[in-house]
Tab-separated table of all heavy atoms in Angstrom:
chain	number	residue	atom	x	y	z
Z	275	ASN	N	17.464	1.191	14.689
Z	275	ASN	CA	16.885	0.506	15.840
Z	275	ASN	C	15.365	0.435	15.803
Z	275	ASN	O	14.776	-0.420	16.475
Z	275	ASN	CB	17.373	1.160	17.131
Z	275	ASN	CG	18.816	0.808	17.422
Z	275	ASN	OD1	19.121	-0.291	17.882
Z	275	ASN	ND2	19.726	1.719	17.140
Z	276	LEU	N	14.739	1.312	15.041
Z	276	LEU	CA	13.286	1.195	14.849
Z	276	LEU	C	12.955	0.396	13.593
Z	276	LEU	O	11.793	0.157	13.290
Z	276	LEU	CB	12.639	2.586	14.767
Z	276	LEU	CG	12.707	3.450	16.028
Z	276	LEU	CD1	11.913	4.742	15.835
Z	276	LEU	CD2	12.205	2.707	17.260
Z	277	GLY	N	13.991	-0.006	12.850
Z	277	GLY	CA	13.793	-0.866	11.681
Z	277	GLY	C	13.054	-0.191	10.539
Z	277	GLY	O	12.206	-0.812	9.893
Z	278	ILE	N	13.399	1.080	10.251
Z	278	ILE	CA	12.696	1.816	9.195
Z	278	ILE	C	13.616	1.948	7.980
Z	278	ILE	O	14.044	3.049	7.610
Z	278	ILE	CB	12.229	3.192	9.707
Z	278	ILE	CG1	11.462	3.024	11.020
Z	278	ILE	CG2	11.324	3.875	8.681
Z	278	ILE	CD1	11.053	4.321	11.669
Z	279	SER	N	13.936	0.845	7.357
Z	279	SER	CA	14.859	0.852	6.210
Z	279	SER	C	14.227	1.434	4.957
Z	279	SER	O	14.948	1.862	4.042
Z	279	SER	CB	15.356	-0.568	5.930
Z	279	SER	OG	14.269	-1.432	5.653
Z	280	THR	N	12.898	1.484	4.892
Z	280	THR	CA	12.229	1.996	3.695
Z	280	THR	C	12.469	3.485	3.465
Z	280	THR	O	12.164	4.005	2.390
Z	280	THR	CB	10.707	1.745	3.779
Z	280	THR	OG1	10.235	2.156	5.069
Z	280	THR	CG2	10.390	0.277	3.574
Z	281	VAL	N	13.035	4.173	4.453
Z	281	VAL	CA	13.316	5.602	4.292
Z	281	VAL	C	14.619	5.842	3.527
Z	281	VAL	O	14.870	6.954	3.050
Z	281	VAL	CB	13.374	6.304	5.673
Z	281	VAL	CG1	14.677	5.988	6.402
Z	281	VAL	CG2	13.206	7.812	5.527
Z	282	TYR	N	15.441	4.815	3.370
Z	282	TYR	CA	16.758	5.014	2.763
Z	282	TYR	C	16.724	5.602	1.349
Z	282	TYR	O	17.559	6.471	1.032
Z	282	TYR	CB	17.567	3.718	2.789
Z	282	TYR	CG	18.305	3.519	4.094
Z	282	TYR	CD1	17.945	2.513	4.978
Z	282	TYR	CD2	19.357	4.356	4.447
Z	282	TYR	CE1	18.605	2.342	6.182
Z	282	TYR	CE2	20.032	4.188	5.648
Z	282	TYR	CZ	19.658	3.185	6.511
Z	282	TYR	OH	20.321	3.037	7.698
Z	283	PRO	N	15.839	5.178	0.462
Z	283	PRO	CA	15.818	5.806	-0.872
Z	283	PRO	C	15.645	7.325	-0.806
Z	283	PRO	O	16.324	8.057	-1.530
Z	283	PRO	CB	14.631	5.139	-1.569
Z	283	PRO	CG	14.542	3.792	-0.915
Z	283	PRO	CD	14.904	4.029	0.524
Z	284	LEU	N	14.764	7.793	0.070
Z	284	LEU	CA	14.563	9.235	0.207
Z	284	LEU	C	15.811	9.914	0.764
Z	284	LEU	O	16.216	10.984	0.281
Z	284	LEU	CB	13.358	9.521	1.117
Z	284	LEU	CG	13.085	10.998	1.440
Z	284	LEU	CD1	12.867	11.814	0.172
Z	284	LEU	CD2	11.892	11.125	2.385
Z	285	ILE	N	16.442	9.307	1.755
Z	285	ILE	CA	17.643	9.903	2.359
Z	285	ILE	C	18.774	9.968	1.337
Z	285	ILE	O	19.473	10.984	1.219
Z	285	ILE	CB	18.082	9.099	3.600
Z	285	ILE	CG1	16.963	9.051	4.635
Z	285	ILE	CG2	19.342	9.715	4.217
Z	285	ILE	CD1	16.433	10.392	5.042
Z	286	ILE	N	18.948	8.903	0.573
Z	286	ILE	CA	19.988	8.894	-0.460
Z	286	ILE	C	19.713	9.974	-1.494
Z	286	ILE	O	20.621	10.698	-1.926
Z	286	ILE	CB	20.070	7.506	-1.132
Z	286	ILE	CG1	20.558	6.462	-0.122
Z	286	ILE	CG2	21.005	7.530	-2.335
Z	286	ILE	CD1	20.435	5.025	-0.623
Z	287	TYR	N	18.461	10.107	-1.892
Z	287	TYR	CA	18.075	11.127	-2.869
Z	287	TYR	C	18.388	12.522	-2.334
Z	287	TYR	O	18.924	13.377	-3.058
Z	287	TYR	CB	16.583	10.991	-3.181
Z	287	TYR	CG	16.085	11.914	-4.269
Z	287	TYR	CD1	16.165	11.559	-5.614
Z	287	TYR	CD2	15.529	13.156	-3.941
Z	287	TYR	CE1	15.706	12.412	-6.610
Z	287	TYR	CE2	15.069	14.004	-4.928
Z	287	TYR	CZ	15.157	13.637	-6.264
Z	287	TYR	OH	14.707	14.495	-7.247
Z	288	ILE	N	18.062	12.774	-1.075
Z	288	ILE	CA	18.326	14.078	-0.468
Z	288	ILE	C	19.830	14.354	-0.433
Z	288	ILE	O	20.289	15.451	-0.784
Z	288	ILE	CB	17.727	14.144	0.955
Z	288	ILE	CG1	16.193	14.206	0.872
Z	288	ILE	CG2	18.264	15.359	1.725
Z	288	ILE	CD1	15.490	13.983	2.189
Z	289	TYR	N	20.617	13.366	-0.045
Z	289	TYR	CA	22.069	13.563	0.040
Z	289	TYR	C	22.676	13.813	-1.340
Z	289	TYR	O	23.684	14.520	-1.447
Z	289	TYR	CB	22.725	12.343	0.690
Z	289	TYR	CG	22.822	12.438	2.201
Z	289	TYR	CD1	21.674	12.507	2.981
Z	289	TYR	CD2	24.049	12.479	2.837
Z	289	TYR	CE1	21.750	12.594	4.358
Z	289	TYR	CE2	24.143	12.570	4.224
Z	289	TYR	CZ	22.989	12.629	4.978
Z	289	TYR	OH	23.066	12.731	6.343
Z	290	LYS	N	22.072	13.246	-2.367
Z	290	LYS	CA	22.593	13.469	-3.721
Z	290	LYS	C	22.311	14.882	-4.208
Z	290	LYS	O	23.135	15.494	-4.885
Z	290	LYS	CB	21.995	12.454	-4.697
Z	290	LYS	CG	22.555	12.563	-6.126
Z	290	LYS	CD	21.948	11.490	-7.019
Z	290	LYS	CE	22.628	11.448	-8.387
Z	290	LYS	NZ	22.490	12.685	-9.155
Z	291	HIS	N	21.145	15.412	-3.866
Z	291	HIS	CA	20.708	16.682	-4.437
Z	291	HIS	C	20.835	17.878	-3.493
Z	291	HIS	O	20.642	19.013	-3.931
Z	291	HIS	CB	19.252	16.557	-4.910
Z	291	HIS	CG	19.075	15.580	-6.032
Z	291	HIS	ND1	19.362	15.900	-7.337
Z	291	HIS	CD2	18.660	14.285	-6.026
Z	291	HIS	CE1	19.126	14.842	-8.102
Z	291	HIS	NE2	18.695	13.858	-7.333
Z	292	VAL	N	21.141	17.624	-2.227
Z	292	VAL	CA	21.314	18.717	-1.261
Z	292	VAL	C	22.730	18.627	-0.711
Z	292	VAL	O	23.053	17.725	0.060
Z	292	VAL	CB	20.290	18.616	-0.107
Z	292	VAL	CG1	20.513	19.741	0.902
Z	292	VAL	CG2	18.866	18.651	-0.653
Z	293	ALA	N	23.578	19.576	-1.107
Z	293	ALA	CA	24.998	19.515	-0.738
Z	293	ALA	C	25.284	20.140	0.623
Z	293	ALA	O	26.228	19.732	1.306
Z	293	ALA	CB	25.844	20.209	-1.805
Z	294	ASP	N	24.471	21.099	1.035
Z	294	ASP	CA	24.731	21.826	2.270
Z	294	ASP	C	24.418	20.963	3.498
Z	294	ASP	O	23.300	20.444	3.638
Z	294	ASP	CB	23.886	23.099	2.310
Z	294	ASP	CG	24.182	23.941	3.522
Z	294	ASP	OD1	25.184	24.675	3.502
Z	294	ASP	OD2	23.418	23.843	4.505
Z	295	ASP	N	25.384	20.821	4.401
Z	295	ASP	CA	25.212	19.949	5.567
Z	295	ASP	C	24.097	20.422	6.488
Z	295	ASP	O	23.348	19.603	7.040
Z	295	ASP	CB	26.524	19.861	6.353
Z	295	ASP	CG	27.589	19.053	5.634
Z	295	ASP	OD1	27.220	18.250	4.757
Z	295	ASP	OD2	28.788	19.221	5.940
Z	296	ILE	N	23.986	21.721	6.682
Z	296	ILE	CA	22.944	22.255	7.568
Z	296	ILE	C	21.559	21.967	7.001
Z	296	ILE	O	20.635	21.590	7.733
Z	296	ILE	CB	23.153	23.769	7.793
Z	296	ILE	CG1	24.473	24.018	8.539
Z	296	ILE	CG2	21.975	24.365	8.558
Z	296	ILE	CD1	24.822	25.473	8.721
Z	297	GLN	N	21.406	22.135	5.686
Z	297	GLN	CA	20.117	21.825	5.057
Z	297	GLN	C	19.805	20.342	5.170
Z	297	GLN	O	18.658	19.962	5.420
Z	297	GLN	CB	20.148	22.257	3.591
Z	297	GLN	CG	20.152	23.765	3.390
Z	297	GLN	CD	20.093	24.149	1.927
Z	297	GLN	OE1	19.520	23.444	1.108
Z	297	GLN	NE2	20.703	25.273	1.594
Z	298	ARG	N	20.820	19.507	4.979
Z	298	ARG	CA	20.601	18.064	5.120
Z	298	ARG	C	20.090	17.718	6.516
Z	298	ARG	O	19.153	16.929	6.668
Z	298	ARG	CB	21.903	17.302	4.852
Z	298	ARG	CG	22.301	17.200	3.398
Z	298	ARG	CD	23.612	16.433	3.293
Z	298	ARG	NE	24.029	16.231	1.918
Z	298	ARG	CZ	25.165	15.632	1.563
Z	298	ARG	NH1	26.005	15.199	2.508
Z	298	ARG	NH2	25.467	15.477	0.284
Z	299	LEU	N	20.696	18.321	7.527
Z	299	LEU	CA	20.269	18.043	8.892
Z	299	LEU	C	18.826	18.476	9.128
Z	299	LEU	O	18.089	17.839	9.887
Z	299	LEU	CB	21.202	18.741	9.891
Z	299	LEU	CG	22.594	18.143	10.054
Z	299	LEU	CD1	23.401	18.938	11.076
Z	299	LEU	CD2	22.525	16.673	10.459
Z	300	SER	N	18.409	19.546	8.471
Z	300	SER	CA	17.014	19.977	8.592
Z	300	SER	C	16.067	18.919	8.041
Z	300	SER	O	15.006	18.658	8.629
Z	300	SER	CB	16.811	21.305	7.853
Z	300	SER	OG	17.551	22.341	8.442
Z	301	PHE	N	16.440	18.317	6.927
Z	301	PHE	CA	15.647	17.209	6.378
Z	301	PHE	C	15.599	16.045	7.370
Z	301	PHE	O	14.535	15.476	7.629
Z	301	PHE	CB	16.251	16.726	5.052
Z	301	PHE	CG	15.896	17.560	3.854
Z	301	PHE	CD1	16.751	18.529	3.387
Z	301	PHE	CD2	14.699	17.354	3.182
Z	301	PHE	CE1	16.442	19.298	2.275
Z	301	PHE	CE2	14.370	18.106	2.060
Z	301	PHE	CZ	15.240	19.079	1.607
Z	302	LEU	N	16.767	15.675	7.903
Z	302	LEU	CA	16.839	14.534	8.820
Z	302	LEU	C	15.996	14.779	10.066
Z	302	LEU	O	15.302	13.872	10.540
Z	302	LEU	CB	18.288	14.252	9.219
Z	302	LEU	CG	19.258	13.839	8.109
Z	302	LEU	CD1	20.591	13.418	8.705
Z	302	LEU	CD2	18.695	12.726	7.244
Z	303	LYS	N	16.047	15.994	10.609
Z	303	LYS	CA	15.277	16.305	11.814
Z	303	LYS	C	13.778	16.184	11.556
Z	303	LYS	O	13.030	15.689	12.408
Z	303	LYS	CB	15.629	17.704	12.317
Z	303	LYS	CG	17.015	17.809	12.932
Z	303	LYS	CD	17.321	19.249	13.343
Z	303	LYS	CE	18.724	19.389	13.897
Z	303	LYS	NZ	19.050	20.799	14.247
Z	304	THR	N	13.327	16.643	10.390
Z	304	THR	CA	11.902	16.548	10.055
Z	304	THR	C	11.474	15.099	9.930
Z	304	THR	O	10.436	14.685	10.477
Z	304	THR	CB	11.603	17.314	8.758
Z	304	THR	OG1	11.851	18.700	8.955
Z	304	THR	CG2	10.160	17.107	8.322
Z	305	ILE	N	12.262	14.310	9.211
Z	305	ILE	CA	11.924	12.893	9.027
Z	305	ILE	C	11.987	12.154	10.353
Z	305	ILE	O	11.129	11.311	10.662
Z	305	ILE	CB	12.856	12.248	7.989
Z	305	ILE	CG1	12.655	12.907	6.623
Z	305	ILE	CG2	12.605	10.742	7.891
Z	305	ILE	CD1	13.706	12.543	5.595
Z	306	GLU	N	12.991	12.478	11.167
Z	306	GLU	CA	13.107	11.850	12.493
Z	306	GLU	C	11.874	12.141	13.335
Z	306	GLU	O	11.306	11.238	13.955
Z	306	GLU	CB	14.368	12.355	13.196
Z	306	GLU	CG	14.573	11.757	14.575
Z	306	GLU	CD	15.792	12.316	15.282
Z	306	GLU	OE1	16.798	12.636	14.607
Z	306	GLU	OE2	15.741	12.455	16.514
Z	307	SER	N	11.446	13.385	13.365
Z	307	SER	CA	10.260	13.739	14.145
Z	307	SER	C	9.035	12.971	13.648
Z	307	SER	O	8.229	12.477	14.446
Z	307	SER	CB	9.992	15.241	14.056
Z	307	SER	OG	10.962	15.975	14.760
Z	308	TYR	N	8.922	12.870	12.350
Z	308	TYR	CA	7.772	12.191	11.750
Z	308	TYR	C	7.729	10.714	12.156
Z	308	TYR	O	6.706	10.222	12.653
Z	308	TYR	CB	7.837	12.328	10.230
Z	308	TYR	CG	6.735	11.619	9.481
Z	308	TYR	CD1	5.455	12.156	9.410
Z	308	TYR	CD2	6.984	10.402	8.841
Z	308	TYR	CE1	4.440	11.503	8.714
Z	308	TYR	CE2	5.982	9.747	8.147
Z	308	TYR	CZ	4.710	10.299	8.090
Z	308	TYR	OH	3.713	9.642	7.411
Z	309	VAL	N	8.825	10.003	11.962
Z	309	VAL	CA	8.804	8.553	12.222
Z	309	VAL	C	8.762	8.257	13.712
Z	309	VAL	O	8.126	7.271	14.135
Z	309	VAL	CB	9.992	7.830	11.540
Z	309	VAL	CG1	9.924	7.989	10.026
Z	309	VAL	CG2	11.340	8.298	12.073
Z	310	VAL	N	9.409	9.076	14.536
Z	310	VAL	CA	9.393	8.813	15.974
Z	310	VAL	C	8.019	9.105	16.564
Z	310	VAL	O	7.497	8.329	17.374
Z	310	VAL	CB	10.479	9.621	16.700
Z	310	VAL	CG1	10.316	9.498	18.214
Z	310	VAL	CG2	11.865	9.129	16.298
Z	311	ARG	N	7.406	10.212	16.182
Z	311	ARG	CA	6.053	10.505	16.673
Z	311	ARG	C	5.082	9.381	16.292
Z	311	ARG	O	4.250	8.970	17.111
Z	311	ARG	CB	5.559	11.841	16.094
Z	311	ARG	CG	6.075	13.078	16.827
Z	311	ARG	CD	5.609	14.335	16.117
Z	311	ARG	NE	5.941	15.540	16.856
Z	311	ARG	CZ	5.059	16.344	17.441
Z	311	ARG	NH1	3.779	16.092	17.382
Z	311	ARG	NH2	5.457	17.428	18.090
Z	312	ARG	N	5.198	8.914	15.077
Z	312	ARG	CA	4.312	7.832	14.654
Z	312	ARG	C	4.623	6.551	15.437
Z	312	ARG	O	3.716	5.787	15.772
Z	312	ARG	CB	4.453	7.592	13.150
Z	312	ARG	CG	3.800	8.683	12.303
Z	312	ARG	CD	3.875	8.356	10.806
Z	312	ARG	NE	3.255	7.088	10.489
Z	312	ARG	CZ	1.951	6.900	10.286
Z	312	ARG	NH1	1.121	7.943	10.361
Z	312	ARG	NH2	1.469	5.714	10.004
Z	313	ASN	N	5.876	6.327	15.737
Z	313	ASN	CA	6.239	5.144	16.510
Z	313	ASN	C	5.678	5.230	17.926
Z	313	ASN	O	5.141	4.243	18.452
Z	313	ASN	CB	7.765	5.001	16.554
Z	313	ASN	CG	8.196	3.712	17.211
Z	313	ASN	OD1	8.296	3.637	18.430
Z	313	ASN	ND2	8.451	2.699	16.418
Z	314	ILE	N	5.807	6.383	18.548
Z	314	ILE	CA	5.259	6.571	19.885
Z	314	ILE	C	3.750	6.325	19.888
Z	314	ILE	O	3.206	5.712	20.814
Z	314	ILE	CB	5.569	7.995	20.395
Z	314	ILE	CG1	7.073	8.143	20.670
Z	314	ILE	CG2	4.760	8.320	21.655
Z	314	ILE	CD1	7.512	9.574	20.932
Z	315	CYS	N	3.074	6.782	18.836
Z	315	CYS	CA	1.617	6.623	18.734
Z	315	CYS	C	1.216	5.236	18.213
Z	315	CYS	O	0.026	4.962	18.042
Z	315	CYS	CB	1.040	7.707	17.828
Z	315	CYS	SG	1.181	9.379	18.518
Z	316	ARG	N	2.200	4.392	17.963
Z	316	ARG	CA	1.992	3.019	17.495
Z	316	ARG	C	1.222	2.983	16.177
Z	316	ARG	O	0.331	2.158	15.965
Z	316	ARG	CB	1.257	2.175	18.555
Z	316	ARG	CG	1.838	2.226	19.947
Z	316	ARG	CD	3.351	1.954	20.001
Z	316	ARG	NE	3.718	0.701	19.391
Z	316	ARG	CZ	4.753	0.557	18.551
Z	316	ARG	NH1	5.498	1.587	18.200
Z	316	ARG	NH2	5.022	-0.620	18.044
Z	317	LEU	N	1.563	3.879	15.263
Z	317	LEU	CA	0.946	3.923	13.944
Z	317	LEU	C	1.749	3.068	12.971
Z	317	LEU	O	2.964	2.921	13.095
Z	317	LEU	CB	0.859	5.374	13.452
Z	317	LEU	CG	-0.042	6.285	14.289
Z	317	LEU	CD1	0.051	7.727	13.816
Z	317	LEU	CD2	-1.492	5.817	14.260
Z	318	THR	N	1.081	2.542	11.986
Z	318	THR	CA	1.676	1.571	11.078
Z	318	THR	C	2.809	2.151	10.232
Z	318	THR	O	2.816	3.346	9.910
Z	318	THR	CB	0.601	0.982	10.141
Z	318	THR	OG1	1.195	-0.022	9.304
Z	318	THR	CG2	-0.026	2.064	9.276
């Protein structure tokens, strides 16, 4: 919904090399915080 498709290569890479679901979620939470904070601040 924020139209951030450029993150998909990184997410696919993480899912390939990180098998543990809890660790994967930690990656997703960090990336989510990063892109949402930047979106709120209207950064490019």
Side-chain angles (χ1 to χ4, degrees):
N275 286 283
L276 295 185
I278 309 175
S279 59
T280 47
V281 76
Y282 275 111
L284 176 58
I285 301 306
I286 294 170
Y287 185 86
I288 289 168
Y289 271 63
K290 184 178 188 298
H291 295 280
V292 179
D294 184 81
D295 289 339
I296 295 176
Q297 290 184 31
R298 284 179 177 177
L299 287 180
S300 295
F301 279 97
L302 297 188
K303 288 177 183 178
T304 296
I305 297 168
E306 180 183 327
S307 290
Y308 178 77
V309 298
V310 172
R311 279 176 173 248
R312 287 184 58 83
N313 186 275
I314 291 169
C315 293
R316 310 309 305 135
L317 296 174
T318 183

